[in-house]
Amino acid sequence: MKGKGKGVWRPKLGLLLLFISWSFFFLAGLFGSMLFSQDVNGVRSQPRLLESVEEYSPMPHGETGESSVDMIPFQVLSWKPRALYFPRFATAEQCQSIIEMAKSHLRPSTLALRQGETDESTKGTRTSSGTFISASEDKTGILDFVERKIAKATMIPRSHGEAFNILRYEIGQRYNSHYDAFNPAEYGPQTSQRVASFLLYLSDVEEGGETMFPFEHDLNIGTGYDYKKCIGLKVKPQRGDGLLFYSVFPNGTIDRTSLHGSCPVIAGEKWVATKWIRDEQQDD
């Protein structure tokens, strides 16, 4: 009986050991190939990234040109309106310096009134506080640096920009949806037009405070939109990041999708430096 038992069990045990060994080597090979594939992909992806950030030889330039090639990263957020996002446009230290130079000069923000409007009838539309500071007033040179960088990003001469409007939004404060461009039919004749706006976020915001575009891609137009509602494309403030959007088309007509506002701050505090850019040179 013992010899018969050995003859029956020995082949089964051998098959079991063979199956276990085969499974082990199969799984090991599969795992190893996955790791190898990841390593290969990782090695191959790096040169592609490096190739896209290669150094360029500068071209001969004119009297007003520059001797180096600049690369300012950006992301297109929308084509309607034309809105671009610039990560890490300024450093945390630069942002804090701008906040410090503005703190003692803050006053309740005001509005450019349409024909027939009054301060009383527009009360609550804009509840932030702010102050205007030109680059020439800043002895640290930080606003001058930021202004030059904005000119490069927009390709609009810095002489066309208004002074920086440094704004603070505390909890509950907001700016209802509005246009930065001035419609002559509502505001009367204008000597120049605001064509673009650049927002440099000077602080993070715990909750709320987004820049909103409720008419993005023609949404909510003609629906009886409540201008206090915080809807549509929303850009969350992050310290040092920039947001550029254009208020008019190249032919000079106002882009109705450039309607925008500032959502109420729910937690924290929002600081932003706004640069309005016009189609004519501005006095400093």
Side-chain angles (χ1 to χ4, degrees), residues 250-269:
N251 64 4
T253 60
I254 296 175
D255 180 359
R256 63 179 181 173
T257 65
S258 69
L259 184 81
H260 64 284
S262 180
C263 298
V265 173
I266 299 174
E269 193 174 61

Side-chain angles (χ1 to χ4, degrees), residues 214-227:
F215 287 173
E216 195 265 336
H217 201 58
D218 292 328
L219 298 176
N220 304 308
I221 295 178
T223 61
Y225 163 67
D226 182 352
Y227 285 66

Side-chain angles (χ1 to χ4, degrees), residues 60-240:
H61 57 86
E63 293 184 5
T64 59
E66 299 184 357
S67 60
S68 61
V69 176
D70 288 323
M71 300 186 72
I72 304 177
F74 69 91
Q75 175 189 357
V76 176
L77 299 182
S78 170
W79 283 106
K80 298 179 68 177
R82 289 170 293 159
L84 295 86
Y85 166 71
F86 293 83
R88 296 183 294 278
F89 195 82
T91 67
E93 293 75 18
Q94 289 171 332
C95 292
Q96 189 58 41
S97 294
I98 297 173
I99 290 175
E100 294 302 324
M101 70 177 73
K103 272 184 177 180
S104 61
H105 304 287
L106 297 177
R107 299 290 183 273
S109 298
T110 59
L111 290 172
L113 300 177
R114 296 183 180 89
Q115 296 175 353
E117 288 183 333
T118 64
D119 291 334
E120 186 62 29
S121 66
T122 57
K123 188 176 181 180
T125 299
R126 189 185 193 189
T127 56
S128 60
S129 56
T131 186
F132 285 90
I133 306 177
S134 67
S136 61
E137 296 175 292
D138 173 25
K139 304 307 179 184
T140 69
I142 293 175
L143 290 181
D144 180 81
F145 169 82
V146 172
E147 191 171 79
R148 289 179 182 275
K149 195 170 182 180
I150 291 174
K152 293 176 183 178
T154 61
M155 275 303 295
I156 301 176
R158 58 186 302 205
S159 59
H160 287 228
E162 300 180 31
F164 285 94
N165 189 198
I166 316 299
L167 299 166
R168 179 182 67 183
Y169 292 83
E170 299 178 281
I171 292 178
Q173 293 186 333
R174 67 177 189 274
Y175 194 175
N176 293 346
S177 297
H178 62 282
Y179 290 101
D180 283 350
F182 296 106
N183 185 347
E186 298 176 328
Y187 292 92
Q190 303 291 309
T191 56
S192 65
Q193 179 64 284
R194 286 178 177 169
V195 296
S197 300
F198 193 99
L199 279 59
L200 174 62
Y201 297 113
L202 303 176
S203 67
D204 296 322
V205 181
E206 293 179 36
E207 187 177 359
E210 300 93 345
T211 302
M212 59 173 175
F213 296 89
F215 287 173
E216 195 265 336
H217 201 58
D218 292 328
L219 298 176
N220 304 308
I221 295 178
T223 61
Y225 163 67
D226 182 352
Y227 285 66
K228 295 181 181 180
K229 285 186 178 180
C230 182
I231 60 175
L233 173 65
K234 299 178 186 178
V235 182
K236 182 176 177 60
Q238 298 185 88
R239 184 174 59 180

